[in-house]
């Protein structure tokens, strides 16, 4: 018997990385999963690989109507919605004094508005189901600043308090809301973020207590826990799964710029 038997889930940004690993894990535990992404090739390929328990839906998280349509698709196909995992992300970066406002706007539109839109679209369906679980992917950089990553850090910090607010508003209606705050995960997004980093891949890996980057499957295991009844007492939480990155100096462990 799977830990998510009979559950219906939507995972955004599910064509690759953490989202794809989560979709695989949810299906393996008995859930039916909508793979929501703008990457049609990747999403359709994953859905085919997962079989009849998965379906791909082209979803642009910057458009509320897209997410509403994806929720309606899940409800029509499988009868309801139990789990919403807001995971889609993309970002630009640079020094704040030089950052193109269009890059800022586009980054927050995906990473913050996309989470709000996912919650906004999912909550009515979750209420009709009698409750459910909202999971959003934040980051340890939601707690700390990081040079050249202002849009990412700002969005991930906002997700934490948005999650807490939803937990307070809907806890007595059996909706739990939590976010996951990973360290550096070996995904396509990590490659994107690395373009703005002053640290090498090896340096970043070494700052984790476990001495390596995290695997998407490790974060998917946290998402599975939050989606299941095993986490029934947990809501409004920011779950840190960072391989010990923040246990010590972690992401603040390099000297200030210009002092090398």
């Amino acid at each position: 018997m799977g830990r998510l038997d009979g559950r219906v889930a939507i995972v955004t940004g599910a064509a690759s990385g953490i989202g794809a690993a989560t979709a695989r894990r949810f299906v393996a535990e008995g859930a039916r999963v909508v793979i929501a992404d703008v990457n049609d090739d990747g999403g359709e390929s994953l859905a085919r690989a997962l079989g009849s328990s998965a379906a791909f839906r082209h979803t642009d998280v910057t458009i509320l109507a897209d997410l509403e349509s994806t929720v309606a698709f899940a409800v029509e196909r499988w009868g309801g919605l139990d789990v919403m995992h807001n995971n889609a992300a993309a970002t630009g970066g640079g020094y704040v004094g030089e950052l193109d406002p269009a890059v800022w706007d586009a980054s927050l539109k995906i990473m913050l508005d996309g989470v709000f839109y996912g919650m906004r679209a999912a909550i009515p369906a979750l209420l009709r189901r009698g409750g459910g679980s909202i999971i959003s992917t934040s980051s340890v950089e939601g707690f700390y600043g990081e040079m050249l990553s202002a849009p990412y850090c700002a969005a991930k910090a906002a997700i934490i308090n948005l999650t807490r607010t939803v937990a307070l508003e809907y806890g007595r209606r059996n909706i739990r809301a939590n976010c996951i705050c990973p360290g550096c995960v070996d995904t396509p997004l990590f490659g994107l973020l690395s373009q703005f980093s002053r640290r090498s891949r090896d340096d970043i890996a070494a700052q984790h207590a476990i001495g390596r980057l995290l695997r998407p499957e490790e974060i998917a295991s946290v998402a599975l826990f939050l989606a299941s009844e095993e986490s029934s007492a947990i809501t409004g939480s920011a779950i840190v799964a960072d391989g010990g990155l923040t246990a010590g100096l972690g992401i603040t462990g390099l000297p200030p710029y210009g002092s090398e």
Side-chain angles (χ1 to χ4, degrees), residues 40-66:
D40 293 348
D41 290 343
E44 289 171 353
S45 176
L46 179 59
R48 285 193 299 270
L50 293 178
S52 61
S53 292
F56 173 71
R57 183 79 173 179
H58 181 95
T59 309
D60 183 343
V61 300
T62 70
I63 302 172
L64 176 58
D66 264 27

Side-chain angles (χ1 to χ4, degrees), residues 190 194 197 199-208 211-213:
F190 174 75
S194 295
S197 177
R199 296 171 290 173
S200 71
R201 178 188 176 92
D202 288 345
D203 286 341
I204 293 169
Q207 287 189 307
H208 295 71
R212 61 169 174 83
L213 300 179

Side-chain angles (χ1 to χ4, degrees), residues 4 31 60 117 158 182 188 193:
L4 298 181
D60 183 343
Y117 290 162
L193 290 167

Side-chain angles (χ1 to χ4, degrees), residues 28 32 38 66 75 192 208 229:
R32 288 159 293 182
V38 293
D66 264 27
V75 172
L192 177 64
H208 295 71
E229 284 304 308

Side-chain angles (χ1 to χ4, degrees), residues 76-223:
E76 179 178 357
R77 188 179 184 101
W78 287 310
L81 181 66
D82 303 286
V83 180
M84 182 72 188
H85 185 186
N86 300 299
N87 174 72
T91 188
Y95 287 100
V96 171
E98 303 166 4
L99 190 64
D100 186 341
V103 170
W104 171 271
D105 290 344
S107 299
L108 268 70
K109 189 70 173 175
I110 294 170
M111 292 187 293
L112 181 55
D113 289 4
V115 172
F116 164 65
Y117 290 162
M119 293 173 168
R120 175 67 180 80
I123 285 170
L126 295 174
L127 290 172
R128 290 194 297 270
R129 195 77 153 173
S133 175
I134 297 173
I135 306 161
S136 301
T137 303
S138 180
S139 169
V140 292
E141 291 191 352
F143 300 110
Y144 302 95
E146 173 75 1
M147 289 183 64
L148 308 179
S149 298
Y152 187 79
C153 293
K156 295 304 185 179
I159 288 170
I160 294 171
N161 263 357
L162 176 58
T163 295
R164 290 168 174 155
T165 298
V166 170
L168 291 170
E169 290 179 350
Y170 292 96
R172 286 171 174 78
R173 301 181 75 180
N174 297 320
I175 292 177
R176 296 183 296 108
N178 295 286
C179 58
I180 305 172
C181 298
C184 297
V185 186
D186 194 2
T187 66
L189 180 62
F190 174 75
L192 177 64
L193 290 167
S194 295
Q195 298 176 28
F196 314 112
S197 177
R198 296 168 48 249
R199 296 171 290 173
S200 71
R201 178 188 176 92
D202 288 345
D203 286 341
I204 293 169
Q207 287 189 307
H208 295 71
I210 60 176
R212 61 169 174 83
L213 300 179
L214 304 176
R215 298 185 296 271
E217 294 76 14
E218 293 172 311
I219 308 306
S221 293
V222 181

